[in-house]
Every structure is written in C-alpha cells, then in structure tokens.
Amino acid sequence: MRHDTMIYAQDDCRAARGTTTGHRPLILTRSAPRSRAMASAALLCASSLIGATGQAQAQAQEAMFPASPATHTVTGFTMLDYSALTLTDGTDFDLFGIHYMQRVNDWLYVGAGAFAPMVEGNYSGFYGADVTLHAQRTIFGNWFANAGLSLGAAAGGQSNTNISRLSGDGIYGRAYVGVGYAFENFSLGLNYSHVEMPGGQVNSDAVNLFVQMPFSYARGDFRDAGRQLGLQDFDAPRTDNILSFNYTHVSQIDPTARYSGDIGFASLQFSHFLNDNVYAFFGIDIGVSGLMFFNQAQGGLGYRWALSDNVNLYGQVGIGSGGYVTNTYDAGPGLAIYPRATLEYLWGNGFGATASLGYLAAPLGTARSWTVGLGLNYHMSGPRSGRTDRSGADYTLRGVRLNVMGRATSDIDFNGRVTDGLGLVALQADYMLDENWYLAAQVAAGTEAFRGIAGYAEGYIGAGWQTNLTASGRLQAYAQLLYGLNDVGVSPAHEVGGMVYPAIGFSYGLNDRVALYGQIGATISTGQYFGTHTNAFETYTVGLGLSYRFSLPTR
C-alpha cells in the first residue's frame, strides 16, 4: 500500500517550545517508512530544543555576568582652603591650600595636597605637602558636615636660623571639623581647625574658609593597560586636557635681597579646558639652578587663540605663592602674580613645542622678574594633530602606579663630614610606556631635621625597566635610574649640584589595584665629578611601602 506522508517536524518542535509555526514543512516521500519519519522528527526537535536552551542559557549568563566596562568613573572634588593663624610669638601667619580628594564610598574621601603662605607674615618660600583623610555627610537639604585629619611635612623661614624656630623638625599636622552648603557647581563652607608643627612656632587654632569643586574622570583597571579604546567605549573628554613641561629662565629686575643672580625653573602645569578656548590651570615651579629648590605654585585662568591648524597662542594669569628664604629672595609673605604668554606649534600625536614670555612679581615684597621658557605640551585628550582633528578612535589605556613609601638612609657623607641618616617619606609616580619600560618621577621629604634645619627634600625624574610577571602573576622586579636634586641648605654655597639615584626593587601584587613596593638605592652628587660644585653628598637608602595601580585613557 502506498502512503504519502507529510510531517511538519519544525512546527511540532515549535509547538513543543510554545512558539508559533511558519517554517516550510519537512516532506517525507511515500518511500519513507512512518517510523523513520518519526525518528527524524524527534532528532530535529531535540537538536532545536538543545540549541534554544543553550542560547537562553548564554543570554541569561550574559545578563548575570556582563562584560567588564573599559573604564570606571572616578569622582571627588578639589578643595581650596584659607586659614589665618597666629604664631606662638603672637605674630600673624596664614596658609592657603589646594587638595585633591577622591571618593572612597558615600561619605569617605582620601587625598593629597599642598599649602603655602600668601599675605601674612614674612615667610615666602615656606611650603608644605600632606595627605588627608576626609569624611563628609549630608545633614539636611544642601547642608553637609565634614571633618578631616591631615599629616605631612613643611618648612621655611626668614633666614637659616629662623627655619628651625618657625618649622621645628618639619612635621605638619592638621585636624578640622565644620559645615558647608552645596550649590549647583561648587560648595562653600567654614571649618574650625587646629594646625601644629611640633617644636616650631606653628601651633594655632583657626576658622578657615573652604571651597569645593566636584570632578569626575574615566579610569581603567591596571591589568587592561595597553588596551585600545574608541570614543564609543567610554565617556571621552569633550575638551582638551594638557600637561605642560617647561624650563624657564628667570631674570631678576633690580633685586634687593642677598641673591641677585638668575634662577632656572623646572615647571609642570596641568590645564583643563572649560570649553574650546577657556581653561583653568594649576602649575608648580621648582628651582634647578641659581636657587636650588626655589618653590612656587600658582593657579588661574587662561585663553587659547588658534592662529592656524597647528599654531596656538595661550595667554594666562596665575595667582599663587612662592619664594625662597626671605632674606635671600624677597617675596614678602609669598603672594605671587604671574601673567604669561605661550606660543605653541603642534607637530602631531598630541605633542607641541612651546616658547613663553612672562612677568613674575611678588606684590608684597620687592622681587620682580622677567621669565623666558621653552617646553613641551602633551594634549592628553584633545586633537592628535591640529585643532580640527578630533575624529580618531585611538585612545590607549596607559598604566599608572603611585608608590608611597617610607625611606631610611645610611649615614650621610656630606662634604667630607659624616652625618646621621634621615627618615623620609617618598612618593613615586610611574607611567607605563609598554609592559616593561616606564617613566618615573619621585619626590621625598625628610621627617626630621638635616643638621638642625628642617625641610630636607629630594626630587628626581628618570626611567625604569621591569621584568614580566612571574608564573604566580604577582611578583615583578625592576631597575631604574633617576636624576634630580636635593636641598641641603639655604644658600648656593651649600649646594651639591645634580644627583643620580640608581635603584632596584620589587612589586608584589595583593590585587589588581594594590601592591607591596620595595626599593634599595643610592644617592650620589654629580657636581663633585663634573666640577660644577665643590660639595659632595653620598648615602644609601632603603624603602618599603604600597603601590596604587590603575590606567588612564590617553591619546
């Protein structure tokens, strides 16, 4: 008996899954037995059900465990604060501070900052830095309460003798509590604080005014360093952020203090554009010739004129504090006004060569100077070449390590005399060029007086090389060579010239963000070998601390 059999296998399977039909039916001819047709239908139905189940499981798993984002948003605020203090001898003193505060959770922040005098007393050149633990919580409406604790190092004075009297051993501490009010784009408040430098004249309570300005930026995981990103992969900056490096020659105009020569500044400035042309900036200048470790910090506003696709003109005015020991460089209480014009030529890949001309004045002192500088701009998030090229999808996550450590030196051989070793607190920043090579910068401050004078400091820049991770994925060794300066006195006669700091060490990852960090090295002055200085400085050092690791999207 002939049979024509038609089995709608796919429809039956869809019906079993509770879905609609509509596919072309599978036709079995009369030569196919019904049992074989039924078996084929069953196999097709089973495979379809398995495929659907697998797809559903994959979708569910993807929903439960989504792919990690390329970057995470970091939030916090920048805090400016001003305190009018009274020294233990009854005279006036003040401190203006700027702090970067990063959010840890809903109410806790950690940060670091710097501070210097502005308009009270006669202590230009006094300068300090600290780390801060800050708590802040909304009380009601837009009102909030805050409290914090800062610890750091600072030093300065009117003369060599006065440094010890004013600054003690150089340890700085501050505790504060107060209230503030949050407006749309900033917060304003008052704190009651206590500031103290043990062994010195700074020991005062004060009411200080503060301003907070919120910020956010994209940060990647350290393990993702080297990953390429497009504009669609993260919330890319819509305006420029520029990092500027400069060497500035400072020529004094009719100096009245002890030092009448020229000064060389190594300068670092970060500029954040509020729109295509207006920018806010913060800069630091450190003396590298003439007056070693002359220090100055300023912030302000600037404007950019695009003269062509590759040529820009910048004009800015900075207000801040700076100087040296007052009887050597008379900046009065420290207030500095610094207008400057800069011409830039962009050659590509976000880099530009710069030339600048400025006028540096201490309005409450007698110091006045012309400045001329040459430098390099790095456009971290702006056009790669020319002001119109913003279409590239070529951001790269670059690894960054912030290494904080305590350092201890051996006995110090200073100009043929042996001096007891020092304890220092050091911060080293590493910027990864690839898996092995990195650029490094380190600053270190003494936690005790050097030959009775507070404020010993070191500063270095250089490069290093690290091994690949071991099989455990945690341990790396490194070697680095840094070059810089140290601060051993308050006059050019005490200086030792340039310093080299070769070091080896290790990094052991506790997780992707935090690692143990160790270092052994030596500091050796070079002036004694090249004839630039007759003084010599040599010592060995060992350091141990923690490393905080992440990555930043840059052009």
Side-chain angles (χ1 to χ4, degrees):
M1 183 175 179
R2 294 166 54 182
H3 298 281
D4 291 327
T5 308
M6 180 179 290
I7 301 177
Y8 292 80
Q10 290 183 343
D11 284 352
D12 292 342
C13 292
R14 286 185 168 271
R17 298 199 306 266
T19 57
T20 60
T21 62
H23 284 267
R24 186 164 61 97
L26 175 66
I27 300 177
L28 301 178
T29 66
R30 58 180 175 270
S31 59
R34 183 171 180 81
S35 59
R36 182 178 173 185
M38 293 298 294
S40 299
L43 287 172
L44 180 61
C45 185
S47 62
S48 180
L49 284 171
I50 291 172
T53 303
Q55 184 179 8
Q57 288 177 340
Q59 291 174 344
Q61 189 171 23
E62 195 173 308
M64 292 175 61
F65 304 103
S68 60
T71 63
H72 313 277
T73 300
V74 177
T75 61
F77 58 82
T78 300
M79 183 165 68
L80 308 177
D81 63 83
Y82 178 79
S83 302
L85 309 175
T86 302
L87 299 179
T88 55
D89 64 0
T91 59
D92 293 331
F93 186 59
D94 69 344
L95 290 174
F96 177 80
I98 179 170
H99 288 78
Y100 162 91
M101 309 296 292
Q102 183 170 307
R103 182 189 295 272
V104 177
N105 57 32
D106 289 343
W107 57 272
L108 185 64
Y109 299 78
V110 295
F115 49 90
M118 292 285 285
V119 298
E120 299 287 352
N122 196 34
Y123 302 102
S124 62
F126 181 99
Y127 186 78
D130 61 10
V131 293
T132 299
L133 191 64
H134 177 93
Q136 184 164 307
R137 202 68 183 260
T138 300
I139 306 172
F140 58 88
N142 289 351
W143 290 94
F144 62 86
N146 75 162
L149 183 65
S150 301
L151 184 65
Q158 296 172 332
S159 64
N160 192 341
T161 303
N162 182 254
I163 290 179
S164 300
R165 186 164 63 247
L166 175 69
S167 308
D169 288 337
I171 302 298
Y172 169 88
R174 175 173 178 251
Y176 59 89
V177 61
V179 295
Y181 186 86
F183 295 90
E184 183 176 357
N185 296 314
F186 71 96
S187 299
L188 184 67
L190 290 173
N191 281 328
Y192 178 80
S193 63
H194 178 76
V195 180
E196 185 171 347
M197 296 188 67
Q201 293 177 309
V202 180
N203 189 345
S204 176
D205 295 333
V207 175
N208 68 280
L209 174 71
F210 69 85
V211 178
Q212 297 176 356
M213 293 166 289
F215 68 79
S216 64
Y217 65 91
R219 182 198 68 198
D221 293 333
F222 187 70
R223 60 176 169 266
D224 288 336
R227 178 177 174 181
Q228 298 290 317
L229 300 179
L231 297 176
Q232 73 282 357
D233 294 326
F234 74 111
D235 186 15
R238 291 168 174 79
T239 55
D240 269 356
N241 289 291
I242 301 176
L243 198 60
S244 304
F245 306 88
N246 294 278
Y247 175 80
T248 305
H249 181 79
V250 182
S251 299
Q252 296 194 70
I253 304 171
D254 299 326
T256 62
R258 290 183 178 180
Y259 182 74
S260 59
D262 296 340
I263 308 169
F265 285 166
S267 304
L268 176 67
Q269 178 175 304
F270 176 75
S271 303
H272 171 67
F273 278 74
L274 307 176
N275 55 40
D276 284 345
N277 299 309
V278 178
Y279 63 93
F281 70 90
F282 179 75
I284 297 174
D285 305 304
I286 300 294
V288 295
S289 66
L291 292 178
M292 301 287 197
F293 268 91
F294 181 106
N295 59 76
Q296 177 173 277
Q298 72 279 329
L301 294 173
Y303 191 88
R304 175 174 62 187
W305 291 269
L307 304 182
S308 72
D309 279 356
N310 291 86
V311 179
N312 294 314
L313 177 64
Y314 301 81
Q316 65 182 47
V317 177
I319 300 176
S321 178
Y324 201 71
V325 175
T326 314
N327 66 358
T328 303
Y329 178 91
D330 181 20
L335 177 65
I337 309 294
Y338 192 12
R340 185 172 62 174
T342 301
L343 190 66
E344 174 191 43
Y345 177 77
L346 284 164
W347 72 69
N349 292 328
F351 288 97
T354 64
S356 63
L357 176 67
Y359 178 75
L360 175 61
L364 301 181
T366 62
R368 305 287 188 273
S369 302
W370 292 107
T371 70
V372 179
L374 295 174
L376 182 71
N377 277 356
Y378 176 48
H379 294 251
M380 301 174 65
S381 55
R384 285 192 68 87
S385 62
R387 62 186 175 90
T388 60
D389 179 13
R390 294 178 181 271
S391 60
D394 46 359
Y395 281 84
T396 300
L397 286 174
R398 297 291 185 186
V400 178
R401 292 188 300 235
L402 298 179
N403 313 304
V404 180
M405 58 181 163
R407 280 179 48 198
T409 75
S410 64
D411 289 346
I412 299 170
D413 185 348
F414 178 45
N415 205 25
R417 294 173 53 195
V418 176
T419 299
D420 291 341
L422 286 173
L424 303 100
V425 175
L427 171 65
Q428 178 170 316
D430 299 333
Y431 181 80
M432 306 304 300
L433 300 176
D434 57 31
E435 291 185 1
N436 300 109
W437 289 97
Y438 62 91
L439 301 177
Q442 183 182 132
V443 292
T447 58
E448 51 196 305
F450 175 67
R451 292 194 170 182
I453 300 176
Y456 176 85
E458 299 176 356
Y460 303 100
I461 58 172
W465 182 88
Q466 66 181 15
T467 64
N468 294 325
L469 287 167
T470 60
S472 68
R474 294 179 178 270
L475 182 63
Q476 282 180 299
Y478 66 88
Q480 62 186 34
L481 179 62
L482 309 182
Y483 178 81
L485 302 167
N486 69 345
D487 186 17
V488 293
V490 292
S491 72
H494 292 87
E495 303 300 342
V496 299
M499 302 279 295
V500 291
Y501 179 32
I504 59 173
F506 74 93
S507 176
Y508 183 82
L510 302 177
N511 54 45
D512 186 57
R513 290 190 183 182
V514 180
L516 292 175
Y517 184 82
Q519 189 172 103
I520 298 174
T523 52
I524 306 167
S525 61
T526 60
Q528 58 184 316
Y529 300 110
F530 295 103
T532 59
H533 291 75
T534 58
N535 297 322
F537 186 99
E538 295 183 6
T539 188
Y540 297 96
T541 181
V542 58
L544 185 64
L546 292 174
S547 179
Y548 178 65
R549 312 182 298 181
F550 54 96
S551 62
L552 291 175
T554 60
R555 287 291 198 179

